[in-house]
Amino acid sequence: MSVPSFGSPLVRTPGHGAPTIVHITSEYSPFARSGGLAEAVAGLARVQVQGGANVVVFLPLYRTVRDCAPDLAPLGRPISVDLGYRSEEVRFFREVRAPEGPKVVFVDIPSAFARGGLYGEHGRDYADNARRFALFSRAVLDAIPRLIGGPVLVHAHDWHASLALLYMRTYADLRERFAGTPTVLTVHNAGYQGHFPASMLPECGIPPEVYTFEHAEWYGRINFLKAGLTFADMVMTVSPTHATELRTPGGGFGLQEVFQWLGNRFTGIINGIDQQVWDPSRDDQITAMYHADDPTNKAKCKAALQRSFGLPQRRRTPLFGFTGRMVAQKGLDLILNSHLVRHLDAQFVFLGAGEPRYEAALTALAQARPLHVGVQLEFTDRLEHRLMAGADLFLMPSQYEPCGLTQLRAQRYGALPIGRRVGGLADTIEDDVTGFLFDAFEPPALDWAIQRALARFHNPAAWLPRMKTAMLRDFGWDRSAERYAEGYRRAIDIARRRA
């Protein structure tokens, strides 16, 4: 395949310098997001640039990208990418007026990504998701030497980018090109692994010799995430507790033996949040700003939130918030079967969309309890900020939670989270200090935690110190970025020994 002229490289790093960090991701805020992945990758990439690193992010050119970046400029001419038995024309774009920070490259494959959704529509995944993300991963590897001068470190995120690591170690031309290149894989949610029929091997360009128990095969199917795990130099997940959970039969989603096999090449690092964006003392999206030393204006935010959800403005009534994807993982079954949620003289507001059964059940609950329950299925950033500012407490009874960002934001806004003692919730909520934890995945356990929280809420002398402590917690990216830098150094050492 001939190499078209791309002009000057987007980034050039001297051979003796630190490698350019290349993030390969299916989501990146604000261009494409369905959950916490987009914000997590964007937050990490930004703080890495602030620390002096060269960072390039590769993201599919979805339709949603055009909403945020209508003016795009091509990077060189189109290239032909071979995968399996077919070739696809691929183009690469950047924003015309790109802001300072990570350099974001949009990978344009219209046949794969010019669609209404990221992964599917109307509750169903696209039938060709295996081919879509395999092609994306392969195209990025062809683009790297054209756009980046000097050494790189490839950091893939979740199953969608995992095949890039397999290709780098199994294709003859890529093995030579990336012989000394360190690779890192972050598992943001191991509940989604990219399982596909074995018949997709040729379509995805996966060599038959790696369709084995040791690499890409999983109970008679292809497992993209497993392939990435077995070829990565270092693997991270998004909290220390979740790293421990992934090594267990009950928490490993069928991959616990792979996580165990990784040994000290696997670690957990808490995500961060942008504390300038999530700061009630400077947030212009909320009704009235406030801070830990004087949270008086939080009452105005609460009243505004009650109005927004059509609820009575009752200052002393506890207001519980929930925002996120309405799926089983988030504990919606506990909430819907909670005696207190259905009968307590309190208010509950729900923001987000997801499985139709949960949307319908919450809507029915709001109709049955119009003075106590409000539901908004159309998510907006503004409403999420207002929800954080107006709520007294936040429900996070997750079945599992690799890290979670909502509990970090909520604490910053003085809305104490009620969560299960799993994953990142266990690592970031201090029980009866900055929130309330429970263990069993059962409605009575949630109700017990709600009762404990309300006992504090109705006693201002107990509540206000806890709220202030939560608001002063540091959930910035700096410490997490330092941990990632340590992981990168280990990956570099492993790659040197391998080369």
Side-chain angles (χ1 to χ4, degrees):
M1 180 172 57
S2 62
V3 179
S5 171
F6 269 61
S8 300
L10 194 61
V11 173
R12 185 182 295 280
T13 303
H16 59 276
T20 295
I21 300 167
V22 174
H23 290 285
I24 309 177
T25 180
S26 65
E27 299 185 27
Y28 190 82
S29 183
F31 306 105
R33 63 178 183 169
S34 67
L37 171 63
E39 185 172 343
V41 181
L44 175 59
R46 281 195 297 267
V47 77
Q48 287 172 335
V49 170
Q50 291 167 5
N54 287 327
V55 179
V56 178
V57 179
F58 286 91
L59 176 74
L61 182 52
Y62 304 103
R63 283 184 186 172
T64 60
V65 170
R66 301 284 187 179
D67 296 334
C68 300
D71 296 324
L72 299 177
L75 292 168
R77 300 197 301 270
I79 66 171
S80 178
V81 174
D82 300 321
L83 189 69
Y85 304 129
R86 290 184 288 160
S87 296
E88 299 270 356
E89 183 177 273
V90 179
R91 297 181 298 171
F92 303 91
F93 288 86
R94 263 202 94 198
E95 288 184 88
V96 173
R97 287 176 289 277
E100 292 185 4
K103 295 176 172 60
V104 182
V105 176
F106 303 104
V107 182
D108 184 27
I109 313 173
S111 64
F113 296 107
R115 306 181 185 184
L118 305 185
Y119 312 119
E121 296 178 63
H122 312 299
R124 294 186 178 182
D125 288 345
Y126 293 127
D128 61 344
N129 272 348
R131 170 79 181 180
R132 295 172 73 221
F133 290 102
L135 187 59
F136 165 64
S137 297
R138 185 68 178 89
V140 170
L141 297 179
D142 282 343
I144 287 173
R146 294 171 165 85
L147 296 176
I148 302 171
V152 300
L153 179 147
V154 173
H155 188 160
H157 295 269
D158 274 350
W159 72 262
H160 319 88
S162 288
L163 285 195
L165 309 187
L166 179 151
Y167 296 147
M168 290 172 68
R169 303 295 176 238
T170 57
Y171 283 34
D173 61 327
L174 297 180
R175 278 204 312 268
E176 180 179 356
R177 183 186 305 166
F178 295 107
T181 299
T183 59
V184 172
L185 174 63
T186 293
V187 180
H188 295 265
N189 192 334
Y192 300 90
Q193 300 177 7
H195 300 150
F196 300 100
S199 59
M200 292 298 296
L201 284 168
E203 281 282 305
C204 297
I206 298 174
E209 59 267 25
V210 298
Y211 183 63
T212 64
F213 172 76
E214 290 79 11
H215 291 298
E217 186 271 339
W218 190 80
Y219 296 98
R221 295 171 67 81
I222 308 168
N223 187 318
F224 279 34
L225 182 62
K226 181 181 177 182
L229 293 173
T230 59
F231 282 102
D233 292 322
M234 282 293 295
V235 176
M236 286 86 161
T237 193
V238 290
S239 73
T241 294
H242 191 56
T244 300
E245 293 168 345
L246 287 174
R247 296 181 189 266
T248 67
F253 302 95
L255 292 177
Q256 61 272 10
E257 293 181 357
V258 181
F259 288 111
Q260 293 167 10
W261 167 79
L262 285 164
N264 61 10
R265 294 190 297 118
F266 175 51
T267 189
I269 303 173
I270 286 285
N271 282 335
I273 58 174
D274 188 331
Q275 296 190 137
Q276 294 188 0
V277 173
W278 298 99
D279 180 354
S281 70
R282 66 174 77 186
D283 189 343
D284 60 5
Q285 298 197 69
I286 64 178
T287 301
M289 299 179 194
Y290 59 95
H291 52 81
D293 291 329
D294 183 9
T296 306
N297 279 343
K298 188 170 174 64
K300 296 180 181 178
C301 296
K302 180 175 181 176
L305 184 63
Q306 290 167 325
R307 290 195 300 271
S308 297
F309 279 81
L311 300 176
Q313 294 178 48
R314 298 167 60 187
R315 182 171 183 171
R316 296 183 180 179
T317 297
L319 177 57
F320 295 77
F322 174 95
T323 181
R325 289 176 294 118
M326 292 183 180
V327 295
Q329 177 206 336
K330 298 300 182 181
L332 268 300
D333 292 297
L334 297 193
I335 292 172
L336 289 167
N337 289 287
S338 159
H339 175 78
L340 293 183
V341 172
R342 291 187 170 276
H343 300 285
L344 186 68
D345 184 19
Q347 294 175 335
F348 301 86
V349 293
F350 298 90
L351 171 65
E355 295 182 34
R357 59 179 174 136
Y358 292 125
E359 293 181 0
L362 288 170
T363 300
L365 181 61
Q367 292 171 347
R369 303 196 71 201
L371 302 181
H372 297 88
V373 179
V375 178
Q376 172 59 262
L377 300 178
E378 188 170 339
F379 177 91
T380 66
D381 284 336
R382 178 178 174 81
L383 194 51
E384 183 180 26
H385 281 251
R386 293 167 70 89
L387 190 58
M388 297 289 171
D392 299 305
L393 293 143
F394 244 86
L395 296 176
M396 294 195 69
S398 302
Q399 187 175 13
Y400 68 94
E401 194 64 64
C403 178
L405 299 177
T406 300
Q407 81 277 12
L408 309 183
R409 301 164 181 162
Q411 288 175 72
R412 293 275 292 171
Y413 283 70
L416 274 57
I418 299 173
R420 276 193 74 223
R421 201 186 311 268
V422 293
L425 302 181
D427 291 329
T428 59
I429 300 171
E430 190 172 355
D431 186 43
D432 201 20
V433 177
T434 64
F436 304 89
L437 295 170
F438 65 98
D439 293 294
F441 190 67
E442 300 171 352
L446 170 61
D447 285 347
W448 172 75
I450 290 174
Q451 288 173 331
R452 292 174 59 222
L454 291 179
R456 300 301 189 192
F457 175 79
H458 290 300
N459 178 3
W463 181 256
L464 291 175
R466 286 168 171 78
M467 187 171 74
K468 180 175 181 178
T469 299
M471 293 180 70
L472 293 175
R473 284 289 157 96
D474 181 0
F475 293 122
W477 266 106
D478 289 344
R479 281 179 293 183
S480 299
E482 291 174 5
R483 293 285 312 281
Y484 267 104
E486 293 172 8
Y488 286 178
R489 286 192 288 270
R490 294 199 59 202
I492 291 169
D493 289 340
I494 292 169
R496 284 173 179 164
R497 292 196 298 269
R498 183 186 62 248

